[in-house]
Amino acid sequence: MQTFQWFILFSCGCGFILIAVGFFEISWIQCEEVSKSDSIIRNGNQTNGCGFPVYAVYGHDVDSGYLKHVFEMFEYFGFVRGSLESNEWHVLWAHDYPFRKFADKLKKLKPHQKVNHFPGTGFITNKLDLAKTNSKYIPKAFQMPDQKENLLKYISKHPKKVFVQKSNDHRGIKIEKIENLNLSAKGTFLQEFVDNPLLVDGHKFDIGVYTIITSIEPLRVYIYNGDILFRFCPDKYYPFDPENRNKYVIGDDYLPIWEVQSLKKYFTEGGYSMKESFNAYLRSRGRNPDKMWFKIEDAIRNIILLKESSISRLLEKYASKRNFFEMVRFDFAVDDDLNVFIMEANMSPNLSSAHFPPNRIIYYQVLFNVFSLVGIINYKKNNRAIETPEVSTKNLMVYPDQCSSNECSNCLSSRCQLCLKCMSKEVVDYLKASYIEHNNRQDCKRIFPPSNIDLLHLNETHNYSPDNQLIWNWFRGKCLLDKSWC
């Protein structure tokens, strides 16, 4: 009888164990299923008890499909989608500019939260603000009607110049004779047209360079260097006809690279990237593409440096400058002498391959590289550079000869400020972030601070702010210790 009782108790115990195992197995499966879903919204409990990081999204009709690849990338790295209103997300991906509608919330972000825009990057992406920028890489522009007289004087001195009228509100661009343009239209500007474009198989094209800003003051800027977006006009440029916009305007139905015969043999048959297909084409015609790429990097660097102080002033209203990053696409025109001109900077560039499915590869890789660079792929709650084993202060040390001598006893010079005894906590924090970015950069290339080789040509560090001089000196110091940092 006693044996039978023990048998009953043993059976019940095993039953409870099996039930408990089953319960935890079901819970684990449910957690796994949540991690694979891009449509689960959990208000109030953003990690669903499973520890998954959470992303939120803001924009117009965001579930219509144009952010599909963005959602897929978050899902790939184990994120679940949460509610923007709850403010418990880790990453906010805003397709529309979020700082007007959510200004109060975004001024009080927690240290681990990231937003894919900086307040004030409209100084770069707003068409009029960009066109008014005094840069050799921006075609000359006149705001209407305020600069009407200046325009007319310029035309009188350059009667052969051709202009197009643009605005922030629409994408329509058409070449018109000056007498047919509306010089009284508010909110518009007239911009000089690049009328000697470089052509491939007779087609005009533009070049889209994905650019990532990871920090403002100090400034850190990268480009996605794994590939570049090339878009071609559907109709051949010559014989030129201003009434046929397909000859000189890149629209939604542009000609893709795989339909351009001279590039198809590299891109489709050879399997090369868009960038390397174009480079091979230019070299086959005795031209050096390096000259053009150097100018493109310099143009991006130049524009962002010119706008940095304006962005920084807006950032002062926020609890921290470290919650934001930005990925824009700079679109360039190229003339027949390989000079480059910035035509536009897109705040939220198209990342949908619905119209051109082969483009999904570049969009996936751009997103992967951005996620890696800014630390999203390793996201944990309260993720901060100062709390990670990826970097310690010993990884930051540069200029050992100066720092170990009496030369740096007073910490006054910019190099001495990088000695351990001279570094502030803020400097330590952003140098740690810079170190992690460098190791996570994947196919991204740092263009600011520029490499030591670049500066042999630029020679402009005296124009940098103190913070930017300090970060450049640090990267230069790392380069002197380890050539992989150059």
Side-chain angles (χ1 to χ4, degrees):
M1 183 68 180
Q2 196 173 21
T3 304
F4 180 74
Q5 288 176 333
W6 279 110
F7 176 76
I8 295 294
L9 288 172
F10 177 76
S11 300
C12 289
C14 289
F16 282 123
I17 292 171
L18 289 172
I19 291 170
V21 170
F23 172 79
F24 286 118
E25 183 177 359
I26 291 169
S27 298
W28 180 82
I29 291 171
Q30 287 175 337
C31 286
E32 187 179 55
E33 287 175 349
V34 168
S35 73
K36 293 178 180 178
S37 170
D38 65 357
S39 59
I40 299 284
I41 295 178
R42 294 284 188 268
N43 294 319
N45 184 17
Q46 292 295 303
T47 57
N48 305 293
C50 304
F52 297 122
V54 177
Y55 76 97
V57 61
Y58 171 64
H60 176 70
D61 200 14
V62 294
D63 290 306
S64 62
Y66 67 92
L67 290 177
K68 175 185 175 183
H69 296 328
V70 176
F71 295 169
E72 289 172 338
M73 193 57 59
F74 274 113
E75 178 186 342
Y76 180 80
F77 289 114
F79 278 73
V80 294
R81 182 170 161 191
S83 166
L84 175 59
E85 285 70 23
S86 73
N87 206 35
E88 291 300 321
W89 41 264
H90 296 78
V91 181
L92 168 61
W93 191 274
H95 188 267
D96 296 342
Y97 190 72
F99 297 101
R100 294 187 184 92
K101 185 172 181 179
F102 302 103
D104 291 339
K105 283 187 176 182
L106 297 182
K107 286 178 182 177
K108 303 173 184 177
L109 293 174
K110 299 170 186 176
H112 66 277
Q113 292 181 302
K114 286 188 177 292
V115 181
N116 71 321
H117 294 298
F118 278 94
T121 44
F123 290 112
I124 298 171
T125 59
N126 179 280
K127 293 179 184 178
L128 181 56
D129 278 321
L130 183 63
K132 291 191 299 182
T133 305
N134 183 21
S135 169
K136 64 182 179 180
Y137 297 110
I138 304 287
K140 196 166 186 63
F142 299 87
Q143 186 176 356
M144 295 295 110
D146 298 348
Q147 295 181 312
K148 176 180 175 180
E149 295 304 319
N150 292 342
L151 169 68
L152 295 175
K153 288 179 182 178
Y154 184 79
I155 290 174
S156 67
K157 294 179 181 179
H158 306 88
K160 293 184 179 180
K161 295 289 185 183
V162 179
F163 288 83
V164 291
Q165 193 160 18
K166 302 180 181 181
S167 76
N168 282 318
D169 300 326
H170 62 82
R171 300 174 63 187
I173 299 172
K174 185 180 178 182
I175 295 174
E176 293 275 9
K177 294 181 179 179
I178 192 66
E179 56 267 25
N180 294 334
L181 293 170
N182 185 356
L183 304 186
S184 301
K186 292 184 178 181
T188 69
F189 60 97
L190 269 68
Q191 190 164 39
E192 192 173 325
F193 179 68
V194 180
D195 59 359
N196 62 329
L198 179 66
L199 306 177
V200 178
D201 290 356
H203 295 273
K204 185 177 181 286
F205 61 92
D206 71 2
I207 297 174
V209 182
Y210 293 94
T211 303
I212 308 101
I213 306 171
T214 60
S215 174
I216 296 288
E217 286 293 338
L219 184 64
R220 298 194 301 273
V221 183
Y222 299 78
I223 60 171
Y224 171 59
N225 203 40
D227 207 353
I228 305 292
L229 183 66
F230 281 80
R231 305 181 302 174
F232 294 81
C233 291
D235 296 346
K236 292 187 176 182
Y237 190 76
Y238 293 113
F240 187 71
D241 178 6
E243 296 299 317
N244 183 357
R245 296 173 68 250
N246 282 336
K247 287 178 173 286
Y248 60 93
V249 176
I250 307 293
D252 292 333
D253 293 316
Y254 62 84
L255 184 71
I257 191 170
W258 51 88
E259 294 183 14
V260 179
Q261 194 60 37
S262 291
L263 299 177
K264 180 180 179 180
K265 65 179 181 180
Y266 300 109
F267 182 80
T268 303
E269 298 166 20
Y272 295 96
S273 67
M274 296 188 200
K275 179 182 179 181
E276 292 308 325
S277 297
F278 177 79
N279 287 348
Y281 168 81
L282 274 192
R283 291 191 185 103
S284 72
R285 281 151 178 76
R287 310 194 70 174
N288 182 7
D290 295 342
K291 171 185 174 183
M292 184 191 76
W293 295 120
F294 177 84
K295 290 178 181 178
I296 282 177
E297 292 178 15
D298 189 42
I300 296 172
R301 192 164 41 227
N302 173 254
I303 294 302
I304 297 176
L305 275 168
L306 288 172
K307 303 295 186 179
E308 184 191 19
S309 60
S310 297
I311 298 171
S312 186
R313 282 193 294 272
L314 283 181
L315 272 172
E316 291 174 0
K317 301 176 182 178
Y318 293 77
S320 172
K321 296 180 180 180
R322 311 300 172 212
N323 293 102
F324 311 100
F325 66 96
E326 186 89 28
M327 190 270 285
V328 301
R329 193 188 71 219
F330 280 88
D331 292 341
F332 288 87
V334 185
D335 73 12
D336 200 47
D337 297 317
L338 298 187
N339 296 309
V340 302
F341 303 92
I342 297 176
M343 307 310 297
E344 191 173 3
N346 297 276
M347 180 189 75
S348 294
N350 173 48
L351 294 170
S352 170
S353 62
H355 196 42
F356 292 111
N359 280 347
R360 70 185 181 280
I361 297 171
I362 186 173
Y363 297 150
Y364 278 140
Q365 293 194 316
V366 166
L367 287 166
F368 177 86
N369 278 264
V370 171
F371 277 39
S372 177
L373 182 67
V374 304
I376 292 176
I377 64 172
N378 297 316
Y379 222 97
K380 295 179 181 179
K381 195 168 184 180
N382 296 320
N383 174 27
R384 282 179 281 180
I386 57 173
E387 296 179 354
T388 173
E390 292 177 88
V391 57
S392 69
T393 51
K394 68 181 177 63
N395 302 120
L396 309 181
M397 296 300 101
V398 290
Y399 304 115
D401 293 338
Q402 290 93 330
C403 288
S404 60
S405 70
N406 292 329
E407 182 182 338
C408 290
S409 58
N410 55 18
C411 296
L412 292 180
S413 75
S414 57
R415 287 191 186 182
C416 292
Q417 289 170 24
L418 292 167
C419 301
L420 183 60
K421 64 182 179 181
C422 303
M423 283 195 290
S424 67
K425 181 181 181 302
E426 181 185 16
V427 169
V428 169
D429 284 354
Y430 71 62
L431 291 184
K432 284 186 175 182
S434 304
Y435 182 93
I436 292 171
E437 279 176 9
H438 176 81
N439 287 334
N440 290 345
R441 69 193 186 280
Q442 302 287 342
D443 257 345
C444 292
K445 178 182 180 181
R446 193 187 78 244
I447 64 169
F448 194 90
S451 72
N452 202 34
I453 296 173
D454 289 336
L455 280 178
L456 293 176
H457 301 280
L458 294 172
N459 193 29
E460 59 178 20
T461 55
H462 63 280
N463 293 325
Y464 294 168
S465 69
D467 279 344
N468 287 341
Q469 288 188 33
L470 190 68
I471 194 72
W472 175 77
N473 261 306
W474 182 74
F475 273 108
R476 183 177 182 276
K478 293 295 290 183
C479 170
L480 292 173
L481 294 173
D482 181 349
K483 294 304 179 186
S484 70
W485 283 77
C486 299

